[in-house]
Amino acid sequence: MTSPAGSSGLRRLLDRVPAVLRHGPAFWRRSVQARVVVSTVLLSAAVVGVVGWFLIQQTRDGLLENRVDAVVQEAESETETARAALAAIPVLDADESAQQQALVELIQARGATRGFGVVLSPPISEGVRLADGGAKFTEGLELASVPETMEARFDSVRPTAWTFTDIRTSREVTGLPEGPGIVVGSQVRLPADDNAYTLYYLYPLAEQQETLALVSRAMLVAAVPLLLLIAGLTWLVTRQVVTPIRMARRVAERLAAGQLQERLRVRGEDDLARLATSFNQMASNLQKQIRQLEELSRLQRRFVSDVSHELRTPITTVRMASDVIHDAKPFLDPVTGRAAELLQKELDRFETLLADLLEISRFDAGAAVLEAEDVDLVDVARRVVDMTSVLAAQRDTRVVLHDPGTPCVAEADVRRVERVVRNLVTNAIDHAESRDVEIFVGSDRRSAAIAVRDHGVGLGPGESAMVFNRFWRADPARARTSGGTGLGLSISLEDTHLHGGWLQAWGRPGEGAQFRLTLPRTLGTQLRHSPLPLVPDDARETA
């Protein structure tokens, strides 16, 4: 269990959360405008990102392609210049080491001004790697800047080739920064020893990196205002569409709340204005129809109430005369005696119908009241079983009560609850087709329930809701042996609603039906579930 201190701490923490974050999910679900704006911005961001990535790739490829063409041409030019310089040196005036040094110094001097480094490998015929020593190179440049794959390519005499590399320096070299670069390999032959040597030219890509970074920043700076502009335009466009819809929603809510005079304001002649005009016409027609129905309903309720009350006096007189004739039955001939008996029976049925009509008129007028007390539903079920035993015997049916063994107490009007259960059991006997009628009683901490199950004709699709309509019958051709009026289930539903309970029906053709009455243990408590299932266990097993 959570302690009070923990709960108060959690509440304080939630209070510190900004309102936007707390109500964000609800706002997202309810606002069409927010979803459209966010979706458009996200889609636009994705499109801008893809286009920007494509443009950056094209720019990078173009910069690298131009740089590669330039450095290869420059490396070949430098090699040709070096070859010309070597050819001009007399063979007898220079030895091998002097020629190597002169070659490197010449290219280094040009590289210092043009921003590239140079490495002169040992003779190819010796098969020595750069890492083994003997190479001449720009001071401060690390030999690891030349990839081994590039060295392996020039193990023999090869034409000029290039590849990308990572330039490394042991100290700062003028015009040769560390980082990505291009290495170009070209070969020369020294006159002093007639051996082939490989010249590696290393060109940095710093300028291209800066250009690409500048382009990327420019695109990013341009993308943010573009997305903000798209968001603003989308918000403005959706606002023009959503605002009339919101107004229509508010007016529809007021109409649903009973403010039938509410109407939409019509502006312009566009589609939204025509929609508003149609909406107002629909609202006017609905208002007219509702008022007509209210007036008809009022007249109907008044007619039923007046007729029910006016019939009480003549029916009392007729009842008195019928009782006199019925008491004289032993002195009458058989035909007249039978007529007196039928008169008494139909008067009983007429009085029952009159009482039901009066009860319905009280519900319609809102005059029905509860006389609540603690009621044990098990006792109510026992009394109803005793009341209906004669009718069950006439229909060759048994009414079986499944006693839970514990009281199932609820705060209710015992007269009304007993009437509901009696109507349910009588209705079940009528449709049981000589099979058993079962009564189940159950309760939990918040509710108590009674379920009446029969195994007769059952209910068809959709009839479980219609069965509570006034004067409705599933099969009008069936004989009603219990003398019902067609108002029993309607009155039962009104009695249940008066308690704040549920009265529900389930049925399946040929498998019978089950009616469930669920009441709150305490009046005013809202029901959330019932202790008894609506669908019987035997029906769920065969489903």
Side-chain angles (χ1 to χ4, degrees):
M1 296 179 63
T2 305
S3 64
S7 300
S8 61
L10 181 60
R11 286 195 297 269
R12 286 196 299 271
L13 180 62
L14 291 176
D15 291 338
R16 294 177 182 176
V17 177
V20 176
L21 296 180
R22 291 200 307 269
H23 305 298
F27 177 76
W28 174 260
R29 292 194 303 270
R30 296 174 183 175
S31 177
V32 176
Q33 187 174 7
R35 292 200 299 272
V36 171
V37 171
V38 173
S39 301
T40 304
V41 170
L42 291 178
L43 182 60
S44 301
V47 172
V48 169
V50 171
V51 173
W53 176 85
F54 177 77
L55 292 178
I56 290 175
Q57 293 297 314
Q58 293 295 315
T59 303
R60 182 182 67 86
D61 294 342
L63 290 172
L64 290 178
E65 184 177 354
N66 292 335
R67 181 59 173 167
V68 168
D69 292 341
V71 299
V72 169
Q73 291 179 5
E74 184 175 352
E76 291 178 345
S77 177
E78 292 293 335
T79 302
E80 291 298 327
T81 302
R83 289 171 181 167
L86 288 175
I89 300 175
V91 177
L92 298 177
D93 295 342
D95 58 10
E96 173 187 344
S97 178
Q99 286 187 354
Q100 291 180 8
Q101 189 65 31
L103 176 62
V104 173
E105 289 177 355
L106 174 64
I107 299 177
Q108 281 181 347
R110 298 173 66 85
T113 59
R114 298 189 180 183
F116 64 86
V118 64
V119 176
L120 179 64
S121 71
I124 294 176
S125 59
E126 295 179 3
V128 180
R129 295 297 182 189
L130 296 177
D132 297 335
K136 306 293 183 179
F137 52 91
T138 300
E139 188 176 358
L141 180 66
E142 292 187 4
L143 296 177
S145 300
V146 179
E148 293 183 358
T149 55
M150 194 70 171
E151 288 188 68
R153 175 181 176 81
F154 289 99
D155 286 343
S156 60
V157 178
R158 297 285 185 180
T160 301
W162 66 272
T163 188
F164 292 108
T165 186
D166 187 15
I167 299 176
R168 305 174 189 176
T169 59
S170 58
R171 61 181 177 82
E172 185 176 351
V173 180
T174 303
L176 190 63
E178 286 190 334
I182 300 174
V183 57
V184 181
S186 184
Q187 293 179 329
V188 296
R189 188 174 295 276
L190 291 183
D193 58 1
D194 199 30
N195 280 326
Y197 292 80
T198 304
L199 281 169
Y200 297 101
Y201 302 91
L202 291 99
Y203 294 88
L205 294 174
E207 292 184 3
Q208 286 69 29
Q209 276 190 309
E210 293 177 0
T211 303
L212 193 61
L214 179 62
V215 172
S216 300
R217 287 194 299 270
M219 295 189 65
L220 181 61
V221 171
V224 173
L226 177 61
L227 291 177
L228 293 177
L229 179 61
I230 291 174
L233 291 175
T234 306
W235 179 84
L236 181 61
V237 172
T238 54
R239 179 180 176 82
Q240 295 178 356
V241 177
V242 171
T243 298
I245 296 177
R246 288 175 177 170
M247 294 176 59
R249 174 183 59 82
R250 296 190 187 101
V251 172
E253 289 175 350
R254 296 191 187 103
L255 289 173
Q259 302 178 22
L260 302 179
Q261 73 282 356
E262 289 289 332
R263 296 294 183 272
L264 282 175
R265 184 179 300 175
V266 181
R267 296 177 179 175
E269 299 179 357
D270 56 9
D271 291 337
L272 292 176
R274 294 170 61 187
L275 175 62
T277 302
S278 301
F279 184 92
N280 291 339
Q281 292 176 352
M282 179 189 68
S284 299
N285 292 334
L286 285 176
Q287 182 182 15
K288 182 179 179 181
Q289 294 292 332
I290 289 173
R291 286 179 176 175
Q292 290 178 352
L293 290 175
E294 287 177 346
E295 182 63 20
L296 290 175
S297 179
R298 187 184 64 83
L299 292 174
Q300 181 187 20
R301 290 196 300 268
R302 183 175 179 180
F303 174 77
V304 171
S305 178
D306 292 346
V307 169
S308 301
H309 283 86
E310 292 299 328
L311 285 177
R312 292 182 67 86
T313 300
I315 197 65
T316 302
T317 304
V318 174
R319 166 62 71 182
M320 293 174 59
S322 175
D323 289 341
V324 172
I325 297 174
H326 190 269
D327 292 339
K329 180 182 176 181
F331 307 101
L332 301 175
D333 60 87
V335 176
T336 306
R338 178 58 179 168
E341 185 177 343
L342 291 176
L343 176 63
Q344 191 78 0
K345 183 177 179 180
E346 291 304 316
L347 277 174
D348 292 340
R349 182 179 178 185
F350 189 78
E351 285 185 336
T352 301
L353 175 61
L354 188 59
D356 288 345
L357 288 174
L358 285 172
E359 190 68 19
I360 286 291
S361 66
R362 292 191 192 98
F363 283 122
D364 291 339
V369 294
L370 288 176
E371 297 178 2
E373 59 181 292
D374 289 340
V375 178
D376 186 356
L377 298 187
V378 178
D379 293 338
V380 172
R382 291 195 186 100
R383 289 197 297 271
V384 170
V385 171
D386 293 338
M387 293 178 191
T388 57
S389 59
V390 176
L391 177 62
Q394 293 176 354
R395 295 300 307 271
D396 194 20
T397 299
R398 288 192 314 153
V399 181
V400 180
L401 171 62
H402 297 275
D403 194 335
T406 57
C408 299
V409 180
E411 188 178 359
D413 188 329
V414 61
R415 179 181 65 87
R416 296 182 184 276
V417 173
E418 190 171 299
R419 178 169 62 190
V420 172
V421 178
R422 183 173 64 250
N423 285 335
L424 296 181
V425 174
T426 302
N427 183 72
I429 292 174
D430 263 346
H431 298 85
E433 296 187 337
S434 301
R435 299 186 182 95
D436 289 349
V437 173
E438 300 176 88
I439 303 177
F440 303 90
V441 186
S443 65
D444 56 21
R445 189 172 57 88
R446 299 176 61 91
S447 58
I450 290 181
V452 179
R453 170 81 161 109
D454 69 74
H455 302 271
V457 294
L459 295 173
E463 293 182 349
S464 58
M466 299 174 60
V467 73
F468 298 105
N469 294 343
R470 298 177 184 182
F471 301 106
W472 184 86
R473 297 183 67 183
D475 184 4
R478 288 178 57 89
R480 187 181 273 125
T481 59
S482 59
T485 62
L487 295 172
L489 291 180
S490 301
I491 295 174
S492 299
L493 184 63
E494 296 291 346
D495 282 332
T496 304
H497 289 167
L498 200 61
H499 286 84
W502 298 338
L503 183 58
Q504 299 160 296
W506 168 92
R508 190 176 294 162
E511 297 184 23
Q514 177 162 296
F515 289 77
R516 182 183 67 183
L517 169 68
T518 307
L519 300 175
R521 296 287 297 269
T522 304
L523 285 178
T525 303
Q526 185 176 2
L527 289 176
R528 298 187 181 276
H529 66 278
S530 178
L532 296 177
L534 178 61
V535 181
D537 293 336
D538 55 348
R540 284 188 298 207
E541 290 173 359
T542 58

